[in-house]
Amino acid sequence: MSAIRVTKLSLTHFRNYAAQDFQPADGVTVLAGDNGQGKTNLLESLFILATGHSHRADTDREVIGWSAAREPIPYSRIAADVTAGDGRERVLELVMQLAPRGQAGEPTAVAERTIGPSGLRGGTLQKGYKVNGVRQRSASSVGDLAVVLAGPEEVDLFAGPPADRRRAIDSTALQTDAEYARELRRYERLVTQRNAALRDARERGSTQRTEDMRLWEQELIRAGALLLGHRITMIDVLQKEMLAAHTEFTGRTGHLALEYRSTVDIAGNGGASPDLQQSLADALEGAWGRDSATATTSVGPHRDDLRVVSGDVDLGVYGSRGQQRTAALALVIAQSAYIGQQLGDEPVILLDDPLSELDADRRERVLRHCLTPGRQVLITTADVELIPAEVRSHAAMYTVKNGRIEAA
Amino acid sequence: MTSQPEQGGGQAESLTRLTEQLSRLPGIGPRSAQRLAYHVIRAPKEETRELAEALLGVIETVRFCSICQNVTQTDPCPRCALPVEDQSIICVVEEPLDVVAIERSGAFKGRYHVLHGLLSPMDGVTPENLRIRELIERLRDDTVKEVIIATNPSMEGEVTAMYVQGLIAPLGVRVTRLARGLPSGSDLEFADAVTVARALEGRQEF
């Protein structure tokens, strides 16, 4: 299968990179370096360019690096030359800037900004996204660049909080479907609006649904049902691919099931495909008393979870760390397969030091799977010795040190 | 980095108060507020007095038109006081600047109604905060045959439009919505996917 490749990456004021151009190899690129030098940041920049947001929770504004403090408007720029499987070339560019509060695009005096523990503060974060120099309305490059990322957070996916798992599957869905990306943004905003409306009603001592509440819910149901339908179809594919990858990694056929645990009745009655809008409406109706008392929305895709079950055992709860990590890596491979099927092009695989805690045998199996010819892979490692010599001989080797990338 | 401008420390209290008031204005940060405050001090007294009088004049003379709710100095506002070409049609907009935008087109010959916001509970805006009741009052007699809802095509704009539509429909008045799609003079090739999708949805017979 053909694959998406990044031929050039330019970072400006991105985390600890002041200005860096980098040309990854067509196949495997190994980025070695000590912790805190910028290896993860480099992979993160590609993830943000592909999905519009960071894979780390709530850190979008922190990506604007300290080197941007002297700019009239502090900004961070990620630009990449991307070649699709059919040879079509695109230049993708994402600029994130801190605009002064209230008025967009007007410069403020530099001294008005303060630097807090997590970077530049003050102003509102704006994102501008361009393809081949033409401004786009949303920062989601469906079909232009697609990535999957496996890093320390991802390998702990099944042991961590449900929000991480939702973000993981959302990142896959929104890279393959513009409608999903759009409806996800709307849905999140609608939940905020409904919660605010519930809070307002509670303050006025009203427990009846007002007409405007009904309208927020109607929109919420429409967007939410679309997300649910999309996720259910996607999980079907992920489940099959994950089992195959897991079998390959462990060398034995096992029982591994990926389960979508919904707060909404998605099974339907009688097995026919359920009307998801109706199911979500019923769930909201059932939760009305609780929701209006707590002024939160307790059911819907934003509260659903993804579990991995082996036999009858929930691996997230009872699995060993090794089992959880192998399952999480298998999910990343499954996500990559799903993206490949949807786009017709394999995504770029970003492996952020995920191998250090696997035994030598599994490490080799995982790498061998990722290193199919034609596919672009970027691997970071603190210890080059963890990468098998056979892989290193084919790879482009780089060292990352203090926000600089140099050929090793 | 220089430190934050000092507030109060050694500074006249009235100056601090002015700075604080100025920094509450949209788009003005603490530093800009301080710059403006010092400008006020250095400027000729007469100029500053004029500014103060203009500010007071605004709050004393500008009010909301009792018919269309637009900001005005006379009630009813000049637009509502004069006969218009088409009495039977009202265009509902979010804010006064939208009236200006539609007037600039020269394509609308009816009357306006300004809601002064969009429904958005997260910003504390619920139906009671909008001038919706006043709009319904205007539809009581049979003069108005059509209401064009010209709120922005944002999520909040859409929900507000639906809310208003739901209230008007039982009165038997025709409700329409502004078209969405490609801006004229633009290039299809360079339009983003959402815009193209909307334009396809809203396509029309020749």
Side-chain angles (χ1 to χ4, degrees):
Chain A
M1 187 186 271
S2 56
I4 293 170
R5 274 174 296 125
V6 174
T7 55
K8 185 184 165 195
L9 176 67
S10 301
L11 301 176
T12 314
H13 304 318
F14 183 84
R15 292 210 187 256
N16 69 336
Y17 293 95
Q20 177 75 55
D21 280 353
F22 176 59
Q23 293 174 313
D26 281 354
V28 183
T29 301
V30 173
L31 298 147
D34 293 335
N35 290 329
Q37 302 301 308
K39 302 190 301 286
T40 301
N41 297 349
L42 186 97
L43 302 191
E44 180 189 31
S45 72
L46 285 171
F47 190 91
I48 294 177
L49 195 59
T51 66
H53 60 85
S54 172
H55 66 291
R56 311 177 194 183
D58 306 323
T59 57
D60 280 1
R61 74 166 41 221
E62 290 166 22
V63 305
I64 299 176
W66 297 68
S67 57
R70 280 185 301 275
E71 298 287 342
I73 295 177
Y75 72 96
S76 182
R77 179 174 176 272
I78 308 166
D81 294 358
V82 179
T83 307
D86 60 5
R88 184 173 49 105
E89 288 177 19
R90 302 232 158 170
V91 182
L92 311 183
E93 183 186 350
L94 177 64
V95 174
M96 290 172 277
Q97 63 175 35
L98 280 179
R101 227 164 316 148
Q103 226 152 347
E106 190 184 280
T108 51
V110 174
E112 206 163 285
R113 282 178 235 122
T114 54
I115 295 185
S118 58
L120 294 163
R121 290 181 179 280
T124 39
L125 185 73
Q126 298 174 332
K127 294 180 187 177
Y129 188 71
K130 284 183 187 169
V131 176
N132 289 342
V134 180
R135 184 169 284 282
Q136 308 288 306
R137 198 151 63 174
S138 67
S140 162
S141 57
V142 173
D144 292 329
L145 173 61
V147 303
V148 291
L149 187 148
E153 290 96 345
E154 285 68 31
V155 292
D156 283 332
L157 193 69
F158 289 110
D164 290 353
R165 290 183 284 280
R166 288 192 294 266
R167 200 165 38 243
I169 55 170
D170 282 345
S171 80
T172 298
L174 62 83
Q175 289 189 75
T176 51
D177 194 301
E179 189 184 43
Y180 191 92
R182 191 171 69 237
E183 293 301 316
L184 180 63
R185 276 196 304 277
R186 286 189 75 228
Y187 180 79
E188 286 168 351
R189 202 175 160 86
L190 283 160
V191 170
T192 311
Q193 291 287 22
R194 180 177 187 258
N195 292 347
L198 286 168
R199 210 156 37 239
D200 181 69
R202 189 176 60 180
E203 274 163 26
R204 285 179 303 168
S206 145
T207 53
Q208 294 301 308
R209 265 197 186 81
T210 51
E211 179 59 18
D212 49 320
M213 178 80 77
R214 208 186 54 72
L215 286 172
W216 291 118
E217 286 181 354
Q218 178 188 311
E219 291 298 293
L220 185 90
I221 288 163
R222 204 176 293 164
L226 202 135
L227 299 183
L228 277 173
H230 216 99
R231 283 186 185 172
I232 292 165
T233 326
M234 180 173 69
I235 302 283
D236 253 11
V237 178
L238 290 179
Q239 151 74 25
K240 290 191 195 80
E241 297 293 336
M242 190 177 165
L243 187 59
H246 194 263
T247 305
E248 196 182 328
F249 293 170
T250 56
R252 52 175 190 268
T253 46
H255 301 282
L256 198 70
L258 190 64
E259 289 180 2
Y260 187 68
R261 303 245 173 106
S262 187
T263 48
V264 175
D265 176 21
I266 53 171
N269 304 319
S273 71
D275 178 347
L276 291 171
Q277 290 202 17
Q278 191 55 52
S279 301
L280 183 49
D282 292 346
L284 284 169
E285 191 57 51
W288 174 254
R290 182 180 46 195
D291 283 3
S292 68
T294 56
T296 52
T297 300
S298 61
V299 293
H302 67 296
R303 287 294 178 93
D304 292 352
D305 197 3
L306 191 68
R307 306 299 306 177
V308 62
V309 177
S310 174
D312 287 333
V313 179
D314 186 329
L315 281 187
V317 183
Y318 301 106
S320 72
R321 258 176 107 64
Q323 284 177 314
Q324 290 172 354
R325 293 188 164 203
T326 307
L329 279 171
L331 176 62
V332 171
I333 297 308
Q335 288 171 298
S336 129
Y338 177 82
I339 292 173
Q341 289 172 20
Q342 295 292 308
L343 298 181
D345 273 348
E346 298 272 0
V348 178
I349 296 187
L350 309 172
L351 298 175
D352 187 16
D353 209 5
L355 310 169
S356 46
E357 290 188 42
L358 294 180
D359 63 43
D361 178 47
R362 253 172 222 194
R363 194 183 307 144
E364 275 215 57
R365 287 173 191 267
V366 170
L367 279 176
R368 205 183 311 137
H369 183 95
C370 294
L371 303 183
T372 49
R375 195 182 250 190
Q376 190 176 39
V377 185
L378 277 73
I379 308 174
T380 72
T381 183
D383 181 4
V384 181
E385 297 301 317
L386 287 180
I387 314 280
E390 182 205 336
V391 174
R392 271 183 279 158
S393 67
H394 292 103
M397 305 293 291
Y398 290 89
T399 309
V400 182
K401 195 171 181 194
N402 198 18
R404 301 292 311 166
I405 301 170
E406 277 153 22
Chain B
M1 281 293 98
T2 44
S3 63
Q4 275 283 292
E6 274 185 68
Q7 298 287 329
Q11 185 177 276
E13 198 187 312
S14 57
L15 187 57
T16 307
R17 188 170 149 225
L18 176 61
T19 311
E20 279 170 9
Q21 290 302 319
L22 287 170
S23 65
R24 292 170 65 173
L25 297 175
I28 310 258
R31 175 66 86 159
S32 309
Q34 203 167 40
R35 236 182 356 248
L36 287 172
Y38 277 103
H39 170 82
V40 161
I41 294 169
R42 279 192 294 262
K45 275 210 169 67
E46 206 36 51
E47 247 178 52
T48 306
R49 191 161 286 130
E50 286 214 14
L51 173 66
E53 275 164 14
L55 286 172
L56 284 174
V58 157
I59 57 167
E60 272 159 22
T61 58
V62 172
R63 66 193 90 179
F64 298 111
C65 169
S66 58
I67 299 170
C68 73
Q69 309 299 322
N70 204 348
V71 288
T72 174
Q73 235 173 308
T74 56
D75 187 15
C77 73
R79 249 205 99 78
C80 289
L82 288 171
V84 290
E85 212 170 283
D86 195 346
Q87 297 269 8
S88 69
I89 185 161
I90 291 181
C91 181
V92 178
V93 296
E94 178 190 341
E95 53 177 343
L97 283 175
D98 297 334
V99 174
V100 178
I102 293 174
E103 279 297 275
R104 218 171 354 179
S105 75
F108 181 66
K109 307 291 185 202
R111 297 209 188 277
Y112 291 93
H113 190 89
V114 183
L115 294 174
H116 292 283
L118 294 176
L119 290 179
S120 179
M122 61 196 260
D123 300 309
V125 184
T126 49
E128 309 82 80
N129 307 112
L130 300 179
R131 314 248 165 173
I132 295 173
R133 204 169 354 102
E134 292 83 350
L135 172 64
I136 304 303
E137 281 307 311
R138 293 177 71 183
L139 308 178
R140 291 277 173 231
D141 61 34
D142 288 341
T143 327
V144 178
K145 306 289 181 215
E146 178 178 351
V147 170
I148 305 174
I149 305 183
T151 51
N152 287 322
S154 63
M155 199 178 80
E156 286 74 16
E158 295 297 338
V159 168
T160 307
M162 285 190 283
Y163 183 80
V164 172
Q165 189 267 337
L167 291 179
I168 298 175
L171 306 175
V173 177
R174 181 177 179 223
V175 186
T176 54
R177 185 93 178 88
L178 285 191
R180 301 181 299 188
L182 295 167
S184 53
S186 69
D187 201 323
L188 187 60
E189 187 189 351
F190 295 128
D192 68 282
V194 179
T195 305
V196 175
R198 290 274 162 77
L200 279 170
E201 278 166 26
R203 68 187 184 277
Q204 286 168 0
E205 297 288 341
F206 256 109

